[in-house]
Amino acid sequence: MTKTDFIDEFLNKYENLGRLRTLKNLQAVSADKITIDNREYVNFSSNDYLGLGDLNSDINKELQTGALSSRLVCGNLDLNTQLENKISKWKGSENCLLLNSGYQANVGLIPALADRHTLIFSDKLNHASIIDGIKLSGAKNIRFRHNDITHLKELLNKYKNEEVRKIIISETLFSMDGDYCDIDTLVKLSKEHNSLLYLDDAHGSGLLGSKGIGICENKFEDIDIYMGTFGKAHGSFGAFTCCSSKMKRYLINKVRTLIFSTGLPPSLLSSNLSSIDKVINANSKRLRLQESTNTIRKFLNENKIATIESESPIIPIIIGEDKDSLSLSEHLKKDGIIAVAIRPPTVPEGTARIRLTVTASHTDEDIKQLLSSLKRWQSNAG
């Protein structure tokens, strides 16, 4: 038994039944016409009831909003294929599948991969969308302590004799703590235990490496599902999963948030295509971002302000009590700084915090303003 036998069984079964879906590349689409393989057809599969999303109008494509329908009906625009190919080439993955958002991706992908007979080993601090995806799947959720590889090993060994599908799920960069997962060990454990490895890189994509590929660079052959988004470092909207070609065929037929959702509109697809080039060529911005991040982290450490060690631009200031975190947020606001207080249930009880997120656009003056305000807060609190 291999970890992907279920994919082969599903694809063979659906092909024999004549139910296997495929994505048809469309050269041109409007509410009433559609072009497939250079032949124009009258389109009676569009949901663009008033014809307001005409993709063949003279309006610049960047302004076009209509995607007409699900990608499996008549919404698989050529831009989708261009974008998927570009992501695969950039990341170094075998294939790629676009989805509508990070949340929709996780609540669609996980139930497609898991059922009530599946064991999912999930980091305790994984995002709400991962938790919801696991709930929808009906799988047994076996949580390991945050970034605690020893605990994960113990749990995997506990269930090593269970002849069922197993999936290890983790974020790469955790959105509230700002720390990275131990990707090398996760890859190693997934191989040792014949488990699928599912990584959510929503916050990490674009931040590290010479081209912004991130901590998964050169590891895509060992990652069964890699989920990334355009809503963070790319400054746009949408999501994608990097995977094998076989996995993609399977997902096209199983991911309900793909099958039953209207695809991304041309305006966003065009934006996302251009955003990849911008991310690839943003080395100077990544350097600037890291310098600003290091400055803030150095200040927090020198002034013994509680944070979580990492090199990421997500910098939590751990306060503890909800009211104290709100107080610091208000103090910063009076000094012209917005830094939102994050409280339970978003974070565990007793770990209310200010979550600072640094950007490459922050100037030296912006950083000085923040640090001066934090210094005054610390003096007043002391």
Side-chain angles (χ1 to χ4, degrees):
M1 174 182 174
T2 71
K3 64 183 180 181
T4 60
D5 281 350
F6 72 98
I7 296 178
D8 293 318
E9 291 170 6
F10 174 87
L11 292 175
N12 290 335
K13 177 182 176 182
Y14 269 58
E15 194 157 32
N16 290 334
L17 289 171
R19 296 178 182 174
L20 193 66
R21 302 176 180 93
T22 58
L23 293 170
K24 300 176 180 65
N25 291 331
L26 312 177
Q27 285 83 51
V29 188
S30 66
D32 61 332
K33 297 290 193 304
I34 189 169
T35 302
I36 303 173
D37 295 332
N38 299 314
R39 178 182 174 183
E40 186 178 80
Y41 300 83
V42 178
N43 185 9
F44 285 105
S45 294
S46 170
N47 294 333
D48 184 11
Y49 301 113
L50 299 179
L52 299 179
D54 187 352
L55 308 187
N56 299 318
S57 67
D58 293 330
I59 302 174
N60 189 298
K61 275 193 173 180
E62 292 185 359
L63 301 178
Q64 291 173 0
T65 56
L68 305 182
S69 67
S70 161
R71 290 181 64 190
L72 280 161
V73 180
C74 67
N76 192 47
L77 311 176
D78 188 53
L79 285 169
N80 284 284
T81 304
Q82 290 179 40
L83 183 52
E84 288 172 341
N85 290 340
K86 192 163 190 174
I87 293 168
S88 295
K89 184 178 179 181
W90 170 44
K91 293 288 186 178
S93 62
E94 184 178 327
N95 221 314
C96 176
L97 180 65
L98 290 176
L99 296 156
N100 283 8
S101 72
Y103 203 103
Q104 281 203 32
N106 282 334
V107 299
L109 290 168
I110 296 172
L113 295 167
D115 57 27
R116 62 189 179 89
H117 303 294
T118 306
L119 301 179
I120 294 181
F121 300 85
S122 177
D123 190 291
K124 194 171 183 179
L125 294 189
N126 276 338
H127 191 263
S129 58
I130 294 175
I131 296 169
D132 289 350
I134 295 171
K135 288 179 179 176
L136 283 171
S137 76
K140 183 173 183 177
N141 187 9
I142 304 167
R143 299 197 301 169
F144 59 94
R145 290 187 291 271
H146 175 54
N147 264 344
D148 190 333
I149 293 298
T150 300
H151 189 215
L152 174 58
K153 287 180 181 178
E154 291 172 357
L155 292 171
L156 287 166
N157 285 328
K158 180 180 177 181
Y159 292 94
K160 67 180 180 180
N161 294 323
E162 296 273 351
E163 290 293 329
V164 295
R165 196 177 311 158
K166 297 170 186 175
I167 308 173
I168 298 172
I169 303 182
S170 177
E171 295 182 46
T172 56
L173 171 56
F174 288 85
S175 59
M176 290 298 135
D177 281 23
D179 53 349
Y180 289 98
C181 72
D182 182 351
I183 185 168
D184 291 326
T185 307
L186 291 178
V187 167
K188 181 172 178 286
L189 289 174
S190 69
K191 289 181 177 180
E192 288 177 356
H193 292 270
N194 194 33
S195 169
L196 293 167
L197 180 59
Y198 183 120
L199 295 179
D200 178 330
D201 197 31
H203 286 269
S205 182
L207 296 186
L208 297 176
S210 60
K211 296 180 180 180
I213 296 172
I215 68 169
C216 297
E217 187 169 1
N218 299 321
K219 295 182 174 66
F220 284 92
E221 285 186 3
D222 299 319
I223 301 167
D224 298 287
I225 292 288
Y226 167 97
M227 197 282 286
T229 68
F230 291 101
K232 308 297 188 296
H234 290 261
S236 185
F237 184 82
F240 57 92
T241 180
C242 292
C243 57
S244 68
S245 296
K246 181 172 77 171
M247 179 68 81
K248 179 177 179 177
R249 289 181 68 210
Y250 174 80
L251 296 176
I252 286 169
N253 287 272
K254 287 287 284 184
V255 178
R256 293 168 70 84
T257 53
L258 169 78
I259 297 168
F260 299 108
S261 290
T262 298
L264 291 173
S267 54
L268 276 171
L269 294 171
S270 297
S271 172
N272 292 339
L273 275 164
S274 64
S275 78
I276 294 175
D277 291 327
K278 292 175 184 176
V279 167
I280 290 172
N281 296 307
N283 289 335
S284 60
K285 291 183 180 294
R286 277 187 282 276
L287 179 61
R288 169 64 190 174
L289 176 60
Q290 196 59 60
E291 290 172 347
S292 298
T293 296
N294 292 344
T295 298
I296 296 172
R297 287 189 177 276
K298 181 181 178 183
F299 170 87
L300 295 178
N301 289 329
E302 288 178 347
N303 289 274
K304 294 181 170 54
I305 297 175
T307 186
I308 293 172
E309 289 305 315
S310 176
E311 296 181 356
S312 86
I314 299 172
I315 307 177
I317 297 177
I318 309 299
I319 305 299
E321 297 298 322
D322 294 14
K323 61 182 179 60
D324 294 332
S325 66
L326 289 167
S327 176
L328 174 53
S329 181
E330 189 59 31
H331 165 85
L332 292 168
K333 186 177 181 182
K334 288 178 180 177
D335 283 348
I337 298 163
I338 294 297
V340 176
I342 307 293
R343 294 154 286 160
T346 304
V347 294
E349 290 288 343
T351 68
R353 66 196 65 185
I354 297 296
R355 177 178 175 269
L356 301 174
T357 51
V358 192
T359 75
S361 298
H362 284 126
T363 65
D364 290 341
E365 287 304 312
D366 294 332
I367 304 299
K368 288 178 183 177
Q369 184 178 344
L370 170 66
L371 301 188
S372 295
S373 182
L374 287 172
K375 192 67 176 175
R376 284 192 295 276
W377 164 76
Q378 190 180 43
S379 297
N380 293 337

